[in-house]
Amino acid sequence: MPKLNGVLETALYVEDMARARAFFEGVMGLEAFTADHRFTAYDAGAGSVLLLFLRGETLETVVLPGEMGTIPPHDGQGRVHMAFAIAARELPAWEAQLSDHGVTIEGRTHWPKGGESLYFRDPDGHLLELATPGVWPNY
């Protein structure tokens, strides 16, 4: 069986790209690799990329220039969940950052292996999590 090396990209579909960019850059501190009217790609740490797509703008095949190829259509609906990995020592700073930006922490979990998670929402209602080591056997 071939081996997977990890999850490279995670995608969220948003209603308002400017509002989403303001949140992920201003509140979460992410820096965009590239962006246009329909998507933004962020460095999410540890070789991971967070992609924001404007809902309904990726319903057609994208033909890339030259011989690069194509990207098939995709889209998403509803509020989804994703987690960002953080160091345990950063948890208080993240709590302050969220509070300073008026972001409500909706839940907190203390996991059996010692990890801790904070849950909150982005402007599109997606459930975001900040997770410290000890949440999963591999983290």
Side-chain angles (χ1 to χ4, degrees):
M1 174 64 91
K3 182 181 180 214
L4 294 174
N5 292 331
V7 175
L8 177 62
E9 299 171 346
T10 298
L12 296 176
Y13 295 86
V14 302
E15 292 293 331
D16 182 325
M17 187 60 72
R19 180 183 70 185
R21 286 178 181 157
F23 178 84
F24 283 98
E25 293 169 18
V27 178
M28 302 303 295
L30 298 180
E31 292 187 30
F33 286 136
T34 187
D36 66 20
H37 76 281
R38 64 177 192 87
F39 91 104
T40 304
Y42 290 107
D43 178 351
S48 296
V49 176
L50 173 61
L51 299 172
L52 301 182
F53 289 102
L54 191 57
R55 192 169 285 124
E57 290 293 316
T58 55
L59 298 174
E60 302 291 327
T61 297
V62 173
V63 178
L64 300 171
E67 302 285 325
M68 290 177 54
T70 61
I71 302 172
H74 54 89
D75 201 35
Q77 292 292 325
R79 300 187 302 179
V80 299
H81 166 68
M82 65 165 293
F84 292 98
I86 63 167
R89 69 182 178 280
E90 295 287 330
L91 191 59
W94 273 109
E95 288 179 275
Q97 173 75 358
L98 295 172
S99 177
D100 289 349
H101 285 86
V103 177
T104 302
I105 295 172
E106 291 188 16
R108 179 186 300 267
T109 303
H110 301 277
W111 298 101
K113 295 190 180 303
E116 191 168 350
S117 294
L118 292 180
Y119 298 92
F120 55 98
R121 298 208 182 257
D122 76 356
D124 284 276
H126 299 301
L127 182 63
L128 305 181
E129 176 183 356
L130 297 173
T132 67
V135 172
W136 295 106
N138 62 342
Y139 179 68

